[in-house]
Structure formats: structure tokens, C-alpha cells
Amino acid sequence: HDEPQSDQRARRFGTGDFNPHIFWWPGTFQMDLMFVVYAVMFVAERLGGLVASSQAFAASYFRDPTSFYLSGRLVTLAFGLATVYLTFRLGKRSHSWAAGAIAAFYLSINPMHVEWSRLVLPVVPMTLWVVLAFLAALKIAEEASIRWYLLSGIAAGLATACLYYGALVALAIPLAHG
């Protein structure tokens, strides 16, 4: 599966090599995110006395990679749950509370969303950024405030950093303006 790709690159970033050496994923959002997660894990384990050095932390992956994959999967799950919430907000803002609740419900039981939300891959984070960009674009249509342009643009950029086709959400910004 593709899951080890972001894991291996994130661990390599820990050596100081920030070149992902693969470019079939557009950016390094998932890899950078996992690098941060692993850095937090390292600090927590170091402060807790579980590892004595960065080398011991790196070696712990080869003894049992479970905590590495589990931490990444929990982060992806958080993105998936946040996407369900933002889908509710998007449906509510664009139509009604009922539309938001129905959209969120169907996303929460969508087999593809459920499956991807349990893996360390860039699909679910991209989906979150796309939904957030659409939500901000709706706000642009209501009140053309600079903060909504910034939020929509940043979310579109983050979606693109996850997967190339996330860039398509940027089209919502000029459409919302017009």
C-alpha cells in the first residue's frame, strides 16, 4: 500500500534530508505532517524516559512500527471527523440545517471516506481543505472580506499540497467573487 511512502519520507526528514525523493504526490503535506507527529512523539518519549536518543527512537520503529502507524492513522481520523463537521457547516450555510445534517451523515457512512480516514494518506486531508475552501468561498459570496479570500486561498493551497487535483477548488474563489 502507499501508506509507507509518507511514513518513510517523514522518518527520513528526521535525518535532515527534506527532499522527499518522490514527486507523484504533489507536495509534502502528508510527509511534513507526519514529521511533526513523529517529532512530538520523540519529544514525549524522550521526556517520559522511554528513549534515550534520536537513534533509539529511530530504532524503535524497526522493533515495532505500530505506534508510528497508529499515530498517523489517528491524525488522519481527526481530519476525517473534521471533514464531516465542515461538511455539515457547508450544507447548513448553503441550504439548511437539514441539508447539512444529511450531507454530514452520508459522508460519515460513505465507505470510501471511512476507508481512507483510517490510513496515513493525503486523500482525507485534501478533502478537508477542499471543503474548508468551499466554505470560505461561500462567505466570500456573502461578504467580500479579505479574511475569507485568505482562508479560501490558504485552504486551496493546502489541498494542492496534498494532491494535485485539490487545486481545482481554487476555481471557487473567483466564482464566489463574481
Side-chain angles (χ1 to χ4, degrees), residues 144-169:
S145 168
I146 189 72
R147 71 179 174 172
W148 300 119
Y149 284 99
L150 285 173
L151 179 60
S152 190
I154 290 168
L158 288 168
T160 305
C162 291
L163 291 169
Y164 289 126
Y165 51 84
L168 293 173
V169 75

Side-chain angles (χ1 to χ4, degrees), residues 6 10 13 18 27-38:
S6 62
F13 290 169
F18 289 98
T28 60
F29 178 84
Q30 188 74 31
M31 299 168 215
D32 292 340
L33 176 63
M34 292 315 305
F35 173 68
V36 170
V37 169
Y38 296 160

Side-chain angles (χ1 to χ4, degrees), residues 30 72-80 116-121 124:
Q30 188 74 31
R73 289 175 176 185
L74 288 173
V75 169
T76 305
L77 176 62
F79 271 89
W116 289 98
S117 291
R118 68 174 197 85
L119 299 172
V120 185
L121 295 170
V124 173

Side-chain angles (χ1 to χ4, degrees), residues 12-103:
R12 185 180 297 140
F13 290 169
T15 68
D17 180 6
F18 289 98
N19 181 347
H21 300 281
I22 60 168
F23 298 99
W24 43 270
W25 282 352
T28 60
F29 178 84
Q30 188 74 31
M31 299 168 215
D32 292 340
L33 176 63
M34 292 315 305
F35 173 68
V36 170
V37 169
Y38 296 160
V40 168
M41 282 175 55
F42 169 69
V43 169
E45 289 184 16
R46 178 94 165 129
L47 292 175
L50 298 173
V51 294
S53 65
S54 59
Q55 292 81 11
F57 179 73
S60 71
Y61 174 85
F62 296 102
R63 280 192 306 277
D64 184 11
T66 304
S67 63
F68 290 83
Y69 281 99
L70 183 59
S71 63
R73 289 175 176 185
L74 288 173
V75 169
T76 305
L77 176 62
F79 271 89
L81 293 171
T83 305
V84 170
Y85 171 72
L86 288 178
T87 299
F88 167 74
R89 297 281 311 270
L90 181 63
K92 180 181 173 188
R93 177 157 299 284
S94 64
H95 294 290
S96 66
W97 185 93
I102 291 168

